[in-house]
Amino acid sequence: MSDIGYRKIIVDGLWHNNQALVALLGLCPLMAVTNSLVNGLGLGLATTAVLLLSNLSVSTIRHWVRPEVRLPVFVLIIASFVTAVELVMHAWFHELYKILGIFIPLIVTNCTIIGRAEAFASRNPVLASATDALAIGFGFTAVLTLLGASRELIGQGTLLSGAHLLFGEAARAWEVTVNPDYPGVLLAILPPGAFMGLGTLIALKNLIDRYFGQRGTETAPAPTPQPEQA
Amino acid sequence: MDELRHPIWDFHGGLHVDDRKALSNGSPIRQAAVPKRLQLPLQQHIGRHAEPVVEVGERVLKGQLIARASDYVSANIHAPTSGVVTEIAELPIAHPSGLPAMSIVIEADGEDRWAELPEPIADYRDTDPADLRERLRWAGIVGLGGAVFPTSVKTNVTGRKVDTLIINAAECEPYITCDDRLMREQPAQVIAGAEILCHIVGASQILIGIEDNKPEAIAALRETLSTRGPDNIQLRVVPTKYPSGGEKQLIYLLTGVEVPSQGLPLDVGMVCQNVATAAAVADAVLQGRPLISRIVTVTGQAVAQPGNLEALIGTPVSDLIDQCGGYRPSIHKLIMGGPMMGFGLPSDNVPVTKGSNCLIAATAEESPDPVKASPCIRCGECVKVCPAQLLPQQLYWYARARDFDKTQDHHLFDCIECGCCAYVCPAHIPLVHYYRFAKTEIWASEREREKAEHARRRHEFREARLKRLEEERKARLRKKKEALAKKPEGGKDPKKAAIEAAMQRVAAKKAAQASAGVSPENEKH
Amino acid sequence: MNERAPSPWRTALTAAAVLGFFAVLGSALVGVAYQGTAERIAQSEREALLRQLNAILARHEYDNDLLNDYLDVSAPKRLGAETTRVYRARRQGKPVALILSPVVAQGYSGAIDLIVGIRVDGTLAGVRVLSHKETPGLGDRIDERKSPWILGFSGKSLDEPPLSRWRVKRDGGDFDQFTGATITPRAVVAAVKEALLWYRAQGPKLFEVPPQVEKTRHE
Amino acid sequence: MEFPVASSPHLRGGNDIQRVMGQVLLALLPGVAALWWYFGWGVIINLGLAIFTAVFWEWVVMRLRGRDPRPVIGDLSGILTACLLAVALPPTLPWWQTMMGTAFAILVAKQLFGGLGYNPFNPAMAGYALLLISFPADMTRWLEPSVISGHSLGFTEAWNAIFSGIAPSSQGWDAVTGATPLDHMRTELSREHLISEIRQSPAWGDFGGRGWEWVANWFLLGGLFLIWRKIISWRIPVAMLAALALVAGIFWVIDPDIHPSPAFHLFSGAAIFGAFFIATDPVTASTTPRGQLIYGALIGVLVYIIRTWGGYPDAVAFSVLLMNMAAPTIDHYTQPRVFGERETQDE
């Protein structure tokens, strides 16, 4: 346990074990809120916050919790943090909170969080667990943001619309309109667009993996990724 | 008219194909010339191959038994003419696999001298059906419609009640006219055979099913029937539709009774025999002749003079083609059997066998080469024509995906491989090919499973036996120790004791084997 | 561990204790978070509501505590909703405008909640959509984020245009409909007209009622 | 002599996919001609655009997959998809929308799933749904039939409208476009007009809208041709139309003032076209005989439900796509009884 490669934790969390693209976890909120960049980013950050807090606490208490009550305890911890995060968002990001609606409390059901608590934090030291939480969280956030951005761009031809919801009034001007005459492909911001968008992102990731995988074998034997030491 | 009083039930699906029978149905049956060299494969029937009873160099007479049925489901083979056995070897035969098979080769001496034949049984009505079946078994008669199942086995209805004998005269495949000609020229022979079969299976009535595209044959049979006394034979004319000659389809057409899925006609109290088989039965019983020849339709656009030949079993296909004027230059394919269910011959250097009812020398227009299959569009044409009411496109889908459990759920084994689905398929998918593939795979895995099961059982027996032997050995050692302890001085000669012990061991081993039911032979395979 | 198996009772009790401990801990965390945010949340709610109202009536046009000067009225026939809250804007004690929330219109696929501001002289201060279920791309252009159509109500009254022309153009009125969708704008126009008619009937006396205590019926 | 061998049967029926698709294309002709008559040249331009796009993308995909594109384009299935889609589009739809819808139909709905035979959803309707959801305003902007407006779009007018967005009249789009009968009916009903009042408008014919009902009739003719040629089975269209008529009939009997008659439902919108040309797409429909009845009937019921209570005026595309998803399940539970299988046999 002492020689955990932080580099590997980070790369796995962001890419090889990306929760949205590889593990296909947390898809319900992912599909539902990614109709704009800001919504995606907002939910991604909220999820990351919960993930970090839950990983930290689970890792801290990992030696004291009996196996038979482990899962209920984890759920308790996660639910508490989610409620706290929800309250905080309600207080300081009111409009975004209204838009994200039910998906904030639903973070509690996001399998990523209980999954990381169980698979990683309950077996690894605190610092490693925090790293894992951040890597996984940012990996998830990146997908949400990317999906939100592409759906927003295709759907209504803008980027960063509603940035003030997250970054304050000053960000109102950040909104980019690519082409004012763009009619917008509504399908992209409606639910079917989420499925197609996510499918395309998964395909893209596989394509990139294959491309580098092939190139790697052609030039030099790339270090084969070790199976995760859990 | 009998047939008018009875409804004809129409089965689901089927095809109206151009029957192309006019090519050959006008030609009376001719005797084919006795070839110089005859090749008789040991397996011309369903079941185990026959065992040769002659040796190379041996002289044989016409009708002499040259290979004996080696099992219950097997058939005798007789010499079709007199001559010398010159070879017993693996030679190419007419078989879809294209693989060679063990055959007996006879060099004809041209004398065509008959061997001594068994007495005719003229009073067959007073003869025990078992004796008549024995005669059919001796004569090596198999189903001549193409199925080549031993007739003596099929007519063994011991313990089952049979009320109807169906005589299959439908001859539904295009091109084939050998049964048609037989009925036109020898109707009495056919009827006589039917009556003998009726007596053997103990049926109370005979129904002859014939397609309405053979008016002359219908007339000839009717004429013969009209001169007969008892009225238990009915001729029923069915509309021409392929595959009305399928056993289950014909039974349904004539009686409205469905043979159960994966069952036999016997399950509904019926036995079905082909007309040519009936004629062969009449030959065997009334004249004591074995099955050494059959009528073969030689037809197709690419043969000069299509016709029907009575050919000795073992005659090379090329001989028959030559006797019909040879190929035309447009020859493209040679098919044995009907165009729907027959198989392509890679070469004409193969013999006619008991099941060879037809040879089609086809031009490319008649029988085009398969084109590249397109994807299935699930149009459902195959569902419409399937006489077994299957879902051919689903079967295809699962067979292709090697999901054989699903193919069986979709009743793969009710498929009669009639080819209707492939005929109508707009995507040109060789559907029947996929079904055969799936069936073969399932059979193979079944055999594997049986083998594994067998091996497992054997292993268990062996383990049990070894354990018992070990226990016995320990017990003996204990006894010996006790005996030694009791009699330290030893009343017996130690050598003698050792021999006795060895003998005991052998006896124990034998007993163990016997109790486990494993004989050394069984252990070998 | 292996030699001395703990009694099942002991195991269960320890487990229960651990679970209980974390339950208390979690509740404490939520409690603290609630305490820390309650005030801020209330403030955010007020700010959000005020932003909505200010979008209709600019901040500088009134000087009273708008959020606390309201009536709850029930006029379902005119305003579409069982209860509509009426905020009363005043400047130096004089009536300026009423803001009605919600006014409900029956759209193509369900209710459309509107917020309608009416100045004391009977002209419209503004109309906005609070929520709707209209078909994306067709009826949803009543939303100011999709098209400026809804902003066109500002300054209109029952005299300008005249009452008979409070319809969409297709029906011979003054208001644009959207291509492909007539039902939605028609419903909104009708609802706004009804709200104005309600105001005309109730008149300035609405400003005289003391701030909300009970629901009063004003048909 | 040596001969080539092949698997039985050695005979071939004359059927092939190209012939099937070709006959469906042929059967579209009367309906297309009627559309052209009532709505002008835009119909033909749309067809051309869609066919061009479909062929282009099929060619590209086959090249990318390293296969010969000719047999795939030659089986006419892509062209048929393009035609079915184009026929359903408003005749002045901007060119890039037509091309986008066709590209989606061919690339995503058909080729991404593996091409002809592997697509779970009807490609033409998938393309249609994409366009309707994305551009509902353009997609519901239909010209008035020439029998009402007294004017049929000439080639140049249609060309300009499609490629430059120039309205084919000096008074703008509103002067030449109108609500489709279904849309009109629903709008008027929402204003609490009675059907007897609504039907007094000259825009109404015998069953549905003037002009529109004749388009439906000509598609019906093409559909009957397909049944006669045994290209499609009667089950799906009959079940679909009967179910639609039955449900509409029930409501109509309850209150004919606010529920349009069954005949209106049958001869308006895409009911007839959909029943014969869309729902019957063999790849995506149910294939068992009983399954086809269920599949068709459920489409009919869904059409009524979505038309009456849904967010879009017509419903054939959505109903068909929804039932496409259900087709494999329906097939599974409606396998025909195999010859000789006992009725009582439990499985």
Side-chain angles (χ1 to χ4, degrees):
Chain A
M1 290 287 174
S2 55
D3 56 338
I4 288 163
Y6 283 94
R7 196 187 135 82
K8 188 178 128 47
I9 294 177
I10 294 170
V11 174
D12 276 355
L14 289 176
W15 188 260
H16 293 304
N17 191 25
N18 187 299
Q19 297 294 292
L21 296 185
V22 180
L24 301 182
L25 292 177
L27 295 190
C28 162
L30 180 136
M31 302 271 192
V33 304
T34 54
N35 48 10
S36 81
L37 190 158
V38 171
N39 289 356
L41 185 60
L43 188 80
L45 291 178
T47 310
T48 308
V50 174
L51 192 54
L52 180 62
L53 292 170
S54 81
N55 256 21
L56 277 175
S57 359
V58 166
S59 175
T60 312
I61 61 163
R62 69 186 189 279
H63 297 306
W64 309 328
V65 180
R66 312 187 59 87
E68 55 268 30
V69 288
R70 200 181 58 224
L71 279 178
V73 168
F74 291 174
V75 170
L76 255 171
I77 291 174
I78 294 168
S80 309
F81 282 130
V82 168
T83 314
V85 165
E86 187 193 358
L87 288 168
V88 169
M89 288 194 73
H90 196 164
W92 280 280
F93 303 100
H94 187 259
E95 283 189 66
L96 185 62
Y97 167 81
K98 279 271 167 76
I99 291 170
L100 298 182
I102 187 70
F103 294 102
I104 301 275
L106 277 181
I107 291 176
V108 82
T109 63
N110 188 329
C111 298
T112 297
I113 292 167
I114 189 90
R116 293 326 286 175
E118 172 73 11
F120 197 95
S122 69
R123 300 157 196 212
N124 285 293
V126 175
L127 201 58
S129 301
T131 316
D132 178 69
L134 288 176
I136 293 279
F138 286 130
F140 189 65
T141 308
V143 174
L144 277 151
T145 312
L146 192 59
L147 191 54
S150 37
R151 287 177 65 193
E152 187 185 341
L153 195 63
I154 299 172
Q156 56 190 40
T158 63
L159 272 180
L160 281 167
S161 71
H164 62 283
L165 304 177
L166 200 55
F167 303 106
E169 284 303 313
R172 219 177 251 285
W174 295 0
E175 180 172 338
V176 182
T177 303
V178 180
N179 171 5
D181 293 334
Y182 180 69
V185 180
L186 266 177
L187 185 81
I189 25 183
L190 294 174
F195 283 93
M196 292 179 198
L198 182 68
T200 313
L201 284 186
I202 294 173
L204 216 58
K205 184 202 174 270
N206 292 346
L207 207 65
I208 293 170
D209 277 347
R210 189 191 291 177
Y211 177 73
F212 282 106
Q214 278 173 357
R215 215 179 55 168
T217 50
E218 272 165 23
T219 52
T224 46
Q226 295 299 314
E228 193 175 3
Q229 300 284 322
Chain B
M1 288 280 103
D2 284 341
E3 62 270 20
L4 293 182
R5 292 205 306 266
H6 296 278
I8 295 292
W9 284 266
D10 188 15
F11 63 94
H12 174 269
L15 289 176
H16 295 281
V17 198
D18 177 10
D19 70 11
R20 305 191 194 174
K21 289 182 191 281
L23 275 173
S24 57
N25 67 5
S27 324
I29 300 167
R30 288 186 285 146
Q31 287 294 329
V34 176
K36 283 210 171 66
R37 179 177 170 280
L38 297 97
Q39 177 197 339
L40 295 133
L42 293 178
Q43 182 153 33
Q44 304 182 24
H45 47 261
I46 301 278
R48 248 172 92 97
H49 61 80
E51 297 279 358
V53 293
V54 291
E55 281 165 12
V56 173
E58 196 173 325
R59 287 199 66 86
V60 291
L61 294 174
K62 183 176 188 171
Q64 178 184 334
L65 185 70
I66 56 173
R68 186 185 298 282
S70 62
D71 201 354
Y72 177 60
V73 185
S74 184
N76 287 346
I77 296 167
H78 302 262
T81 185
S82 58
V84 180
V85 176
T86 56
E87 204 178 350
I88 301 178
E90 296 227 315
L91 292 167
I93 59 158
H95 190 268
S97 72
L99 295 174
M102 199 51 94
S103 311
I104 298 175
V105 177
I106 296 172
E107 206 76 55
D109 56 14
E111 293 172 20
D112 210 23
R113 195 141 49 86
W114 278 97
E116 202 177 317
L117 296 176
E119 282 300 307
I121 311 176
D123 52 349
Y124 65 88
R125 282 178 216 277
D126 302 328
T127 311
D128 185 349
D131 293 341
L132 293 172
R133 275 206 316 276
E134 197 45 53
R135 171 60 63 93
L136 306 189
R137 184 167 166 81
W138 165 81
I141 295 175
V142 296
L144 296 182
V148 290
F149 191 82
T151 307
S152 61
V153 179
K154 198 170 175 182
T155 50
N156 186 353
V157 295
T158 317
R160 307 289 290 266
K161 169 108 186 58
V162 172
D163 53 46
T164 308
L165 171 71
I166 307 275
I167 294 295
N168 188 344
E171 199 167 52
C172 62
E173 278 238 34
Y175 286 97
I176 311 179
T177 56
C178 55
D179 287 353
D180 184 8
R181 287 311 311 186
L182 173 71
M183 288 185 281
R184 290 193 208 184
E185 296 175 33
Q186 302 167 29
Q189 186 84 348
V190 171
I191 302 291
E195 286 179 322
I196 297 169
L197 284 165
C198 184
H199 173 69
I200 294 178
V201 299
S204 53
Q205 64 163 348
I206 302 173
L207 297 181
I208 303 176
I210 184 163
E211 277 192 346
D212 60 8
N213 61 353
K214 293 180 263 293
E216 292 89 347
I218 294 168
L221 286 178
R222 234 172 232 165
E223 165 112 31
T224 310
L225 286 177
S226 66
T227 61
R228 257 183 96 262
D231 192 24
N232 68 337
I233 302 188
Q234 288 174 13
L235 182 68
R236 301 233 180 129
V237 180
V238 300
T240 300
K241 178 166 99 168
Y242 179 80
S244 65
E247 195 169 72
K248 292 179 176 185
Q249 280 67 36
L250 186 66
I251 288 175
Y252 185 73
L253 278 167
L254 299 184
T255 65
V257 173
E258 287 187 18
V259 176
S261 161
Q262 294 188 43
L264 295 172
L266 205 48
D267 298 336
V268 290
M270 297 186 204
V271 169
C272 187
Q273 291 288 350
N274 170 268
V275 270
T277 315
V281 165
D283 266 355
V285 173
L286 302 177
Q287 299 181 39
R289 274 198 206 156
L291 180 64
I292 54 170
S293 69
R294 68 155 301 141
I295 305 166
V296 183
T297 303
V298 181
T299 181
Q301 308 271 10
V303 66
Q305 296 141 20
N308 291 286
L309 299 177
E310 176 153 14
L312 296 181
I313 308 294
T315 309
V317 164
S318 51
D319 273 26
L320 295 186
I321 299 283
D322 287 346
Q323 287 171 54
C324 290
Y327 300 113
R328 291 183 200 273
S330 55
I331 177 69
H332 179 63
K333 256 198 250 179
L334 189 61
I335 298 157
M336 179 169 275
M340 297 299 287
M341 294 179 71
F343 51 92
L345 291 179
S347 153
D348 56 8
N349 188 24
V350 292
V352 164
T353 61
K354 292 176 184 175
S356 312
N357 50 1
C358 184
L359 285 166
I360 304 171
T363 63
E365 291 90 307
E366 279 181 289
S367 176
D369 277 336
V371 297
K372 197 169 173 302
S374 312
C376 167
I377 56 167
R378 296 163 54 80
C379 62
E381 288 299 316
C382 48
V383 180
K384 280 187 222 159
V385 297
C386 180
Q389 287 159 260
L390 304 173
L391 292 175
Q393 91 279 19
Q394 298 298 101
L395 281 173
Y396 157 70
W397 192 264
Y398 293 126
R400 226 177 101 110
R402 308 180 68 95
D403 189 347
F404 299 124
D405 288 344
K406 273 274 168 48
T407 61
Q408 291 190 77
D409 289 350
H410 281 75
H411 304 276
L412 174 67
F413 285 98
D414 279 311
C415 168
I416 56 171
E417 298 178 20
C418 64
C420 290
C421 49
Y423 179 88
V424 296
C425 181
H428 309 303
I429 299 169
L431 291 160
V432 179
H433 195 66
Y434 280 95
Y435 308 148
R436 286 195 190 119
F437 158 75
K439 287 179 184 176
T440 316
E441 289 288 308
I442 291 167
W443 285 325
S445 71
E446 207 102 296
R447 270 198 302 276
E448 281 301 307
R449 210 170 46 77
E450 269 166 26
K451 249 200 220 153
E453 178 71 8
H454 187 66
R456 188 183 61 77
R457 231 170 331 175
R458 229 172 47 191
H459 179 71
E460 281 173 7
F461 282 140
R462 188 181 135 82
E463 292 286 298
R465 192 186 68 212
L466 289 179
K467 200 170 149 203
R468 191 161 39 232
L469 285 179
E470 180 64 21
E471 274 164 9
E472 284 166 3
R473 195 178 65 85
K474 277 185 186 158
R476 276 196 309 275
L477 280 175
R478 212 166 38 239
K479 264 187 197 160
K480 209 152 112 187
K481 266 186 196 162
E482 283 164 9
L484 282 175
K486 270 183 195 164
K487 288 186 182 176
E489 290 308 307
K492 272 181 184 171
D493 184 354
K495 240 184 193 170
K496 204 175 166 189
I499 290 166
E500 249 179 38
M503 283 172 70
Q504 269 172 355
R505 274 200 299 277
V506 170
K509 191 175 171 183
K510 270 185 185 160
Q513 276 176 352
S515 68
V518 177
S519 70
E521 273 143 282
N522 275 351
E523 277 182 309
K524 259 185 261 165
H525 47 81
Chain C
M1 282 291 272
N2 285 345
E3 283 118 56
R4 211 158 39 88
S7 82
W9 275 106
R10 206 184 138 82
T11 315
L13 283 176
T14 325
V18 171
L19 202 55
F21 172 72
F22 279 102
V24 171
L25 207 68
S27 310
L29 175 69
V30 172
V32 169
Y34 178 76
Q35 285 297 325
T37 55
E39 201 177 313
R40 174 73 214 200
I41 288 175
Q43 196 194 328
S44 293
E45 295 274 7
R46 275 198 307 278
E47 278 173 11
L49 184 53
L50 210 54
R51 261 202 301 279
Q52 248 173 25
L53 300 177
N54 286 346
I56 306 265
L57 192 68
R59 187 69 192 88
H60 61 83
E61 293 194 54
Y62 64 96
D63 60 4
N64 63 326
D65 180 2
L66 198 54
L67 292 182
N68 285 319
D69 191 355
Y70 63 85
L71 296 169
D72 279 346
V73 302
S74 180
K77 284 197 183 131
R78 289 293 194 195
L79 303 180
E82 270 308 310
T83 319
T84 301
R85 185 158 285 192
V86 182
Y87 298 96
R88 300 181 294 187
R90 304 166 202 266
R91 190 177 172 88
Q92 290 165 350
K94 285 182 192 159
V96 175
L98 295 179
I99 302 175
L100 284 59
S101 174
V103 170
V104 178
Q106 285 306 318
Y108 190 80
S109 19
I112 302 168
D113 284 2
L114 301 168
I115 177 166
V116 178
I118 307 171
R119 289 179 199 281
V120 72
D121 63 357
T123 61
L124 283 166
V127 180
R128 293 290 184 280
V129 173
L130 290 174
S131 70
H132 71 86
K133 300 191 201 68
E134 299 305 278
T135 314
L138 283 177
D140 71 347
R141 277 181 291 173
I142 50 171
D143 192 334
E144 59 166 322
R145 280 170 299 179
K146 310 276 169 162
S147 98
W149 181 82
I150 198 93
L151 306 178
F153 281 105
S154 302
K156 297 232 164 32
S157 71
L158 288 179
D159 306 318
E160 183 54 47
L163 190 56
S164 63
R165 297 190 62 83
W166 269 84
R167 300 160 177 223
V168 293
K169 283 184 176 156
R170 182 167 292 258
D171 301 336
D174 273 12
F175 294 88
D176 284 330
Q177 67 263 1
F178 315 134
T179 327
T182 345
I183 295 179
T184 315
R186 194 180 264 148
V188 173
V189 169
V192 173
K193 184 179 81 173
E194 290 295 319
L196 286 172
L197 286 170
W198 174 82
Y199 175 73
R200 187 148 84 179
Q202 299 298 323
K205 70 175 181 201
L206 283 163
F207 286 96
E208 265 121 67
V209 186
Q212 177 62 27
V213 267
E214 296 291 314
K215 255 189 225 173
T216 41
R217 204 169 171 83
H218 297 277
E219 277 290 347
Chain D
M1 243 183 112
E2 311 278 306
F3 307 94
V5 290
S7 177
S8 69
H10 305 281
L11 299 182
R12 271 260 156 253
N15 211 359
D16 67 26
I17 290 182
Q18 188 183 5
R19 186 179 149 273
V20 172
M21 301 288 170
Q23 301 225 22
V24 181
L25 283 171
L26 198 66
L28 274 176
L29 279 181
V32 168
L35 279 174
W36 170 78
W37 177 259
Y38 288 113
F39 299 101
W41 282 93
V43 177
I44 309 298
I45 297 175
N46 276 353
L47 277 169
L49 275 172
I51 291 173
F52 168 78
T53 313
V55 170
F56 173 78
W57 284 113
E58 292 228 297
W59 188 85
V60 169
V61 169
M62 284 302 124
R63 282 280 146 199
L64 283 175
R65 290 173 69 181
R67 306 216 184 141
D68 182 5
R70 278 168 306 178
V72 172
I73 294 167
D75 70 24
L76 299 181
S77 63
I79 291 173
L80 178 60
T81 295
C83 291
L84 292 175
L85 174 60
V87 160
L89 297 176
T92 53
L93 194 72
W95 59 273
W96 57 271
Q97 291 185 13
T98 305
M99 293 179 86
M100 183 174 162
T102 316
F104 183 83
I106 296 294
L107 287 176
V108 177
K110 182 179 170 189
Q111 294 295 352
L112 262 190
F113 285 96
L116 179 64
Y118 298 97
N119 49 305
F121 296 102
N122 185 310
M125 286 304 102
Y128 181 85
L130 170 96
L131 292 177
L132 181 60
I133 292 174
S134 296
F135 315 107
D138 291 324
M139 284 291 287
T140 47
R141 188 177 67 191
W142 274 83
L143 294 171
E144 304 226 281
S146 60
V147 281
I148 297 172
S149 67
H151 176 69
S152 174
L153 242 54
F155 188 82
T156 325
E157 272 179 309
W159 182 273
N160 286 338
I162 289 171
F163 287 95
S164 326
I166 300 168
S169 151
S170 52
Q171 290 126 31
W173 283 105
D174 283 350
V176 284
T177 57
T180 59
L182 278 171
D183 213 358
H184 188 238
M185 179 64 82
R186 181 136 172 212
T187 306
E188 295 302 302
L189 285 172
S190 83
R191 302 174 71 194
E192 297 179 355
H193 289 167
L194 299 180
I195 286 177
S196 47
E197 297 173 79
I198 299 169
R199 303 261 338 216
Q200 277 161 12
S201 150
W204 295 94
D206 297 324
F207 311 113
R210 272 179 78 202
W212 293 92
E213 57 193 12
W214 277 99
V215 173
N217 283 340
W218 288 107
F219 276 122
L220 177 63
L221 184 72
L224 294 176
F225 167 78
L226 288 182
I227 290 180
W228 174 61
R229 299 293 298 159
K230 293 195 164 63
I231 301 289
I232 60 174
S233 128
W234 58 270
R235 287 187 177 84
I236 293 176
V238 168
M240 172 177 156
L241 296 175
L244 176 61
L246 182 73
V247 180
I250 290 171
F251 282 92
W252 184 60
V253 166
I254 292 171
D255 189 349
D257 282 338
I258 55 166
H259 298 294
S261 71
F264 169 79
H265 272 286
L266 292 185
F267 288 92
S268 300
I272 298 279
F273 171 68
F276 288 97
F277 291 91
I278 299 296
T280 50
D281 165 33
V283 176
T284 54
S286 192
T287 53
T288 63
R290 266 188 308 152
Q292 289 182 336
L293 290 175
I294 296 170
Y295 171 86
L298 288 178
I299 291 179
V301 173
L302 276 178
V303 165
Y304 188 84
I305 291 173
I306 301 179
R307 273 182 181 180
T308 312
W309 296 288
Y312 296 91
D314 202 357
V316 171
F318 294 120
S319 308
V320 168
L321 290 172
L322 281 169
M323 289 311 296
N324 284 167
M325 274 194 278
T329 312
I330 294 176
D331 278 357
H332 180 80
Y333 287 106
T334 54
Q335 282 182 43
R337 189 189 68 95
V338 169
F339 183 88
E341 195 180 9
R342 286 176 187 85
E343 313 259 359
T344 53
Q345 192 175 322
D346 289 357
E347 259 201 292

